[in-house]
Amino acid sequence: GTDSIVHSADSARTSSSDLAPSMSADLCKNAQERPEPVKAEVKGNIPSWLQGTLLRNGPGIFSVGDTSYEHWFDGMSLMNGFTFKNGEMTHQSRFLRSDTYKANMEAKRIVVSEMGTMAYPDPSKNFISKAITLLNHTIPDFTDNGASNFIRYGSDYFATSETNYIRKIDPETLESQEKVDYTKYLPVSMVTSHPHYDKDGNTYNIGTTIAEKGKTKYVLFRVPDALALKSVETICSLPCRSLLTPSYCHSFGLTDNYIIFIEQPFKLDILKMATAYMRGVNWASCLKFCPEENTLIHLIDRKTGKSTEIKYYTGAMVVYHHVNAFEDNGHVIVDVIAYNDTSLYEMFYVRNLKNNTGVKDAGYSTPSYRRFVLPVSSDKGVAVGQNMVNLKYTTASAVKEKEGKLVCQAEVLCEGLELPKINYDINGKKHRFVYGNCVEKSALAKQVVKFDTETKNMVYWNEENCLPSEAVFIPRPNGESEDDGVVLVAVVNLNPGQSSFMLILDGKTFKEVARANVNGELHKDVHGLFIPHES
């Protein structure tokens, strides 16, 4: 049960700068939902212009009956809503009523497999039901436990992970509504949980098609603002470099004219996935990183759906999050958070979280903020070996290797920043500031940061025994500068007897403007979405 989970890490060593010993264990404690909105106790002043709801999503149930998830990301979705109105804030939370949730709760054990946890039938079940379970896993019917983020398509909001299932929710009450299967509209087995939205409100996303008519491909699509998913338009399909091992894609870049898709040597082995259940291993073990291979960066024209003639290559890397991308003088600049290996996912296995001694996690590699520059002008007449980047403010290069092929070296802007957020009003345009979590020593952030990409200056916020979530920037209406607004951070407070809180920082100074105590526990979450209220 959960008790042993909670206490098992108490013996871990800690120093004053590190986490309290039980802190990492608390991450895997089952949450309680609080469906009724409760008014928070506000210290300081929440700006009156801040009107809207911040939705947050993440795992909230880690054990059912005698069974537990092996990976933190597998936990069943807990949705949080923080609603700001006239200087006040209310908080509520609900579990996503997914089919996965219903099946697990009814069986009183975990019966639906997740990426990091294979669920096996109750040992007392008969042979036939075991055989059927096996068949269901050969061509996986994925979970609908959308615990990663929220997506807007038209005027509808959905809880999402990265499978073909999403679930519509009511953003005001957090009630779960109908389940939606992407495959009814597009031939995709997986879709990212990080869409993009343009100025007209259209939603863009990328899905992966596994072996449809013998082809494995990536599908880039757009859902028009006024319409729902049923009016989806395919922008283009890109064949995978290797038929049976599509690259894992968590996010992508969008500029006024281009979509940037990174085909990285971090791949899903489809054949291994088909046999994983029989072999007694999880699907995550079928993700493989090939450090000896290169990364291909696709630049796709948003209007025509065609890839550029020039192909851009760089070394092996693992990218989960794009920061932003923008165009400048015949170049497309692509900012990403990149790792040299897959240790990030490994860190969040429950057994590894429990062993976290607060020292730099063994085997954890710090991510770096990398800026790639892709020249779009023709390379005809350019000598082999020549760097085609001619921007004054970056050391990134793109060297011609042969006709139509450039090899790109990134400029590293900083180390140890994750969950990057910008002022989304300037998404696709040149940005200066990035808000994020500090993950220099551990995948578990203990502070949030504002990073100035020009001066490389960093300003931090942290508090003893507090775990901040993603730092979400909300621009002030008609603000005067890029950082004119507030940053919202849900903070898990692990100090005994103290309430967790929503932190509101000034976007310019990064100083605390207010905090709203939620009168209870918050749990570490993953991603979220701010829905402004129409004034």
Side-chain angles (χ1 to χ4, degrees):
T2 46
D3 275 315
S4 60
I5 292 182
V6 174
H7 298 300
S8 63
D10 283 352
S11 58
R13 295 186 319 279
T14 184
S15 72
S16 59
S17 65
D18 293 322
L19 298 180
S22 63
M23 195 181 236
S24 47
D26 282 340
L27 289 174
C28 305
K29 205 165 60 171
N30 286 349
Q32 304 285 318
E33 61 176 6
R34 301 168 157 228
E36 294 308 313
V38 175
K39 195 180 279 190
E41 170 216 1
V42 178
K43 293 188 169 138
N45 292 305
I46 298 176
S48 55
W49 58 259
L50 183 64
Q51 309 270 343
T53 298
L54 176 65
L55 297 178
R56 303 289 310 160
N57 201 349
I61 297 180
F62 301 94
S63 58
V64 184
D66 298 334
T67 58
S68 295
Y69 288 111
E70 289 167 32
H71 199 282
W72 188 78
F73 292 152
D74 293 342
M76 286 190 280
S77 164
L78 174 69
M79 304 177 287
N80 281 273
F82 302 90
T83 300
F84 299 90
K85 196 175 178 189
N86 305 333
E88 297 189 325
M89 188 194 89
T90 57
H91 168 254
Q92 67 196 115
S93 65
R94 270 184 207 268
F95 293 123
L96 182 70
R97 298 311 197 262
S98 58
D99 288 356
T100 295
Y101 175 92
K102 291 173 199 153
N104 288 344
M105 288 311 185
E106 197 175 315
K108 298 190 173 57
R109 58 185 281 125
I110 295 165
V111 291
V112 181
S113 296
E114 299 287 341
M115 199 68 193
T117 309
M118 269 297 176
Y120 291 93
D122 192 320
S124 61
K125 284 277 197 298
N126 67 22
F127 174 77
I128 296 293
S129 75
K130 286 180 183 166
I132 290 169
T133 310
L134 170 63
L135 285 173
N136 286 345
H137 278 83
T138 308
I139 297 158
D141 183 23
F142 284 125
T143 177
D144 66 336
N145 172 31
S148 172
N149 206 350
F150 295 98
I151 291 185
R152 179 182 65 74
Y153 287 124
S155 54
D156 297 336
Y157 292 88
F158 300 88
T160 179
S161 61
E162 297 181 314
T163 71
N164 57 300
Y165 295 117
I166 52 179
R167 188 165 290 263
K168 194 176 164 194
I169 59 130
D170 179 329
E172 286 182 25
T173 64
L174 302 182
E175 283 168 310
S176 301
Q177 299 173 347
E178 65 270 20
K179 170 164 131 170
V180 172
D181 182 353
Y182 278 115
T183 58
K184 300 260 188 297
Y185 311 101
L186 287 163
V188 290
S189 315
M190 298 182 309
V191 179
T192 87
S193 56
H194 288 284
H196 273 296
Y197 308 97
D198 66 15
K199 285 282 173 283
D200 303 321
N202 305 307
T203 306
Y204 295 75
N205 213 337
I206 296 187
T208 305
T209 302
I210 293 181
E212 189 226 10
K213 300 190 180 79
K215 291 195 170 56
T216 305
K217 59 190 180 185
Y218 312 104
V219 180
L220 281 62
F221 61 91
R222 171 176 48 232
V223 177
D225 177 34
L227 306 155
L229 203 52
K230 59 177 181 289
S231 54
V232 62
E233 304 157 359
T234 298
I235 299 167
C236 72
S237 291
L238 296 169
C240 297
R241 286 199 279 178
S242 48
L243 181 65
L244 294 170
T245 53
S247 289
Y248 172 69
C249 176
H250 187 82
S251 66
F252 59 99
L254 186 76
T255 70
D256 288 347
N257 297 296
Y258 297 99
I259 295 166
I260 299 95
F261 165 59
I262 296 179
E263 195 173 3
Q264 54 192 6
F266 181 29
K267 305 189 259 191
L268 269 172
D269 188 318
I270 296 168
L271 295 181
K272 280 191 173 166
M273 283 189 82
T275 62
Y277 185 82
M278 283 188 289
R279 292 184 293 119
V281 298
N282 63 13
W283 285 320
S285 71
C286 308
L287 270 168
K288 58 176 181 185
F289 179 54
C290 310
E292 70 289 345
E293 293 180 24
N294 61 18
T295 300
L296 172 57
I297 305 176
H298 297 268
L299 200 52
I300 297 130
D301 186 305
R302 254 172 80 168
K303 290 171 195 63
T304 67
K306 295 210 175 351
S307 292
T308 52
E309 283 180 21
I310 298 182
K311 295 288 172 261
Y312 307 92
Y313 290 89
T314 190
M317 61 179 181
V318 175
V319 171
Y320 300 99
H321 298 121
H322 280 248
V323 180
N324 187 26
F326 57 92
E327 298 166 39
D328 189 357
N329 209 6
H331 306 76
V332 175
I333 293 86
V334 183
D335 286 9
V336 298
I337 306 298
Y339 293 80
N340 293 328
D341 59 34
T342 58
S343 64
L344 176 72
Y345 188 82
E346 299 298 317
M347 288 293 119
F348 282 94
Y349 273 105
V350 171
R351 60 176 186 269
N352 293 339
L353 286 172
K354 287 189 206 162
N355 293 337
N356 175 15
T357 55
V359 189
K360 180 172 167 121
D361 293 337
Y364 170 70
S365 70
T366 307
S368 58
Y369 178 152
R370 299 181 201 177
R371 171 165 286 176
F372 290 94
V373 178
L374 317 177
V376 262
S377 53
S378 166
D379 65 337
K380 302 271 182 289
V382 173
V384 167
Q386 191 175 328
N387 174 19
M388 289 183 63
V389 177
N390 49 23
L391 294 173
K392 295 277 182 283
Y393 55 82
T394 179
T395 58
S397 64
V399 173
K400 178 168 174 175
E401 188 175 278
K402 60 176 196 219
E403 213 62 38
K405 179 178 179 182
L406 300 183
V407 175
C408 304
Q409 281 304 125
E411 173 186 9
V412 175
L413 297 189
C414 73
E415 302 277 349
L417 185 137
E418 238 314 355
L419 303 179
K421 300 297 260 185
I422 59 165
N423 176 344
Y424 200 79
D425 282 1
I426 59 165
N427 186 60
K429 305 265 194 291
K430 189 168 196 276
H431 66 281
R432 176 172 174 182
F433 302 108
V434 180
Y435 301 92
N437 282 21
C438 275
V439 291
E440 274 162 304
K441 297 190 177 63
S442 158
L444 283 182
K446 304 178 197 69
Q447 49 186 0
V448 284
V449 61
K450 177 188 183 182
F451 175 58
D452 183 334
T453 61
E454 286 177 20
T455 65
K456 311 291 185 282
N457 187 37
M458 287 189 161
V459 192
Y460 302 93
W461 178 92
N462 63 287
E463 204 162 283
E464 193 83 24
N465 289 329
C466 286
L467 287 180
S469 65
E470 195 170 47
V472 182
F473 179 85
I474 313 295
R476 184 163 70 94
N478 312 314
E480 286 158 25
S481 60
E482 181 188 328
D483 56 355
D484 188 352
V486 294
V487 178
L488 303 180
V489 189
V491 179
V492 179
N493 187 349
L494 294 163
N495 288 299
Q498 293 185 19
S499 171
S500 289
F501 54 94
M502 172 59 64
L503 174 69
I504 298 133
L505 299 170
D506 182 295
K508 285 185 178 165
T509 64
F510 218 53
K511 294 259 190 297
E512 179 171 340
V513 175
R515 66 173 60 185
N517 289 319
V518 299
N519 182 23
E521 292 185 345
L522 288 176
H523 288 254
K524 186 171 170 59
D525 59 30
V526 187
H527 294 298
L529 182 68
F530 184 76
I531 306 172
H533 292 175
E534 303 306 321
S535 43

